[in-house]
Amino acid sequence: MSFLKLYFRSPPAVIGLLLLMLVLAMAISADWLYPRDPLALAGRPLIWPFSNPRFLLGTDNSGRDIAAQIFHGARISLLIGLVATLISVVIGITIGAVAGYYGDWVDTILMRVTEAFQTLPNFILLLVLVAVFGSTITTVTVAIGIVSWPASARLTRAEFLSLRNREFVQAGRTLGLRDVKLIFGEILPNALPPVIVYASVVMAIAILLESALAFLKLSDPNVASWGNLIGAGRDVLRVQWYVSAIPGVAILVTVLAVSLVGQGLNDALNPRLKGR
């Protein structure tokens, strides 16, 4: 059975994909539906949703259109999630592959470094990096990727430990293939499926971490992100709760979509589930 058939056999995976496509459509259509700067003042502050046809989702406490920020924020959240995940997975795969392939003292050193990163919670380490290097959107994205790699490294290492002595690897060594070719050309393609599945978890965590930073006003205030909108609504949470609730729902839907897609990938790529 093909990969697509296995994936679409799972209703939650299909729902996750549809939700993710909806968020992607919002990001793509943002400039067309809301061509103005989403952070520009658009009307009277704190207009409730659906009370004014010009502002379908109302305005925040500065008079900015919430719908415009939601659509443009979809682009920011997806971009942060994808780039941070790519950085995290590349670092994790490189360290985990080298540690798992060579073993011995190389494995010991690299795993001690990995454990050192895991002694501090991700968010605490992220706060330190942002405090030192600044809170531009580029810095925040790179910092999220840097603090998220240890789990990918451990997963990749475990896969390499189980694959490095297989017959096809021994055959490659017999043929004189170099270590780099064996690691990235022979073993890594067989070790990637669980890492790809875990990447969806990293992406969801990356979106949540940026939102948490923005809520604390430590993210880039010059971009229309969902976290910044939640942070803006914090001051009027008791009376105009919708300012924080609307972007909160957007984050919930996006994280749920990514998680369901990841579960679908696991069902489609896991050989132990293909026979079910």
Side-chain angles (χ1 to χ4, degrees), residues 22-36 38 56-57 65-78 224-226 229 246-247 250:
L22 174 63
V23 177
L24 183 60
M26 291 171 55
I28 294 173
S29 62
D31 285 333
W32 178 59
L33 293 175
Y34 300 97
R36 293 184 57 196
L56 187 62
L57 297 180
D65 190 351
I66 291 178
Q69 294 182 71
I70 292 296
F71 274 72
H72 283 271
R75 182 181 305 172
I76 298 298
S77 291
L78 289 178
S225 75
W226 294 338
L229 185 55
I246 292 174

Side-chain angles (χ1 to χ4, degrees), residues 106-253:
V106 176
D107 181 32
T108 301
I109 292 176
L110 291 178
M111 285 302 99
R112 295 299 83 77
V113 173
T114 303
E115 290 171 1
F117 269 83
Q118 290 183 306
T119 55
L120 285 174
N122 283 4
F123 192 63
I124 300 298
L125 185 56
L126 180 60
L127 288 176
V128 173
L129 292 176
V130 170
V132 173
F133 297 104
S135 58
T136 64
I137 197 66
T138 301
T139 303
V140 168
T141 304
V142 173
I144 292 174
I146 290 174
V147 303
S148 305
W149 65 265
S152 299
R154 285 192 170 277
L155 183 58
T156 305
R157 171 183 175 269
E159 291 296 315
F160 265 71
L161 287 175
S162 66
L163 292 170
R164 66 179 182 177
N165 292 320
R166 295 282 181 89
E167 291 80 3
F168 69 93
V169 180
Q170 298 291 352
R173 290 196 182 101
T174 303
L175 293 173
L177 294 182
R178 305 176 73 176
D179 288 347
V180 173
K181 176 64 176 176
L182 284 172
I183 292 173
F184 296 104
E186 301 296 330
I187 304 178
L188 184 58
N190 293 279
L192 272 182
V195 180
I196 292 174
V197 172
Y198 184 74
S200 64
V201 177
V202 177
M203 183 173 177
I205 293 174
I207 294 173
L208 290 174
L209 286 176
E210 189 280 330
S211 300
L213 280 179
F215 181 77
L216 296 175
K217 302 186 185 300
L218 294 175
S219 187
D220 193 338
N222 300 313
V223 297
S225 75
W226 294 338
N228 281 334
L229 185 55
I230 292 177
R234 182 178 59 182
D235 299 330
V236 292
L237 190 59
R238 292 189 176 183
V239 285
Q240 273 83 17
W241 51 266
Y242 67 89
V243 179
S244 293
I246 292 174
V249 170
I251 293 172
L252 173 64
V253 169

Side-chain angles (χ1 to χ4, degrees), residues 33-47:
L33 293 175
Y34 300 97
R36 293 184 57 196
D37 181 2
L39 297 180
L41 300 183
R44 180 170 56 84
L46 299 175
I47 298 176

